[in-house]
Amino acid sequence: MRIGYWSSVHDKARLVVLPVVAIAGFAAWIMLPDPSDAEDQSAPVPAVIAGPAQNAAPVDPATAPTQSTEATAPADAAAPAAVATETTAPAKSPLDGLKISAQSWRRGGLGSKALVTLTLRNRNDFAVKDIEIDCAFARRDGSHLTDRKRVIGDVISMKSRKTYSGMLVGFVNINANRAKCSLVTASRI
């Protein structure tokens, strides 16, 4: 009988000590200072101009002979530094020539699924694939309800258009009356 008493006393003590330790740990954690942003930032590194002077050996000012600064100017200082300038046109984004020329939507699946019909027109000089669209659904008064994204893995050839009929975008709110789809990303082939 005595053993059962000893065990229940320790169980009650554990139930009291555990919350006290948790509260003390939480209080200590709250009192710790927040990390400073200054520790994460490094000092700006000064820009160094590459030239023939960098290959020269370092000179100790204490042992170097004192001469006029005009006489010690390097001969290469007068020569213009060769600057490599390459003019490359930035790569054209696949979204620049891609647009949704027509879109509509209807409900499916007992009114909870959005089925979008849209025509994509590619005016680029290259084919595109993996087109991501984002459809925003709203109430009749224009208040926003939900967004749904979908990736179209199909390839659209250059200078062409393709119509996707009844494409499932996802589940939508039953109060949605309007939909507006827009292009997010596309990959160049």
Side-chain angles (χ1 to χ4, degrees), residues 24-94:
F26 181 71
W29 179 64
I30 293 292
M31 293 178 145
L32 289 175
D34 291 335
S36 172
D37 289 341
E39 295 171 358
D40 295 339
Q41 298 173 357
S42 60
V45 179
V48 179
I49 300 174
Q54 286 185 346
N55 295 334
V59 178
D60 185 16
T63 60
T66 57
Q67 295 178 356
S68 164
T69 58
E70 295 171 1
T72 61
D76 293 336
V83 179
T85 58
E86 295 181 19
T87 56
T88 57
K92 188 176 176 183
S93 171

Side-chain angles (χ1 to χ4, degrees), residues 20 81 123-124 135:
V20 170
R123 292 185 180 166
N124 292 316
C135 296

Side-chain angles (χ1 to χ4, degrees), residues 13 26 50 89 108 117 127 134 137 175 182 185:
F26 181 71
T117 299
D134 182 23
F137 295 90
N175 297 322
S182 60
T185 61

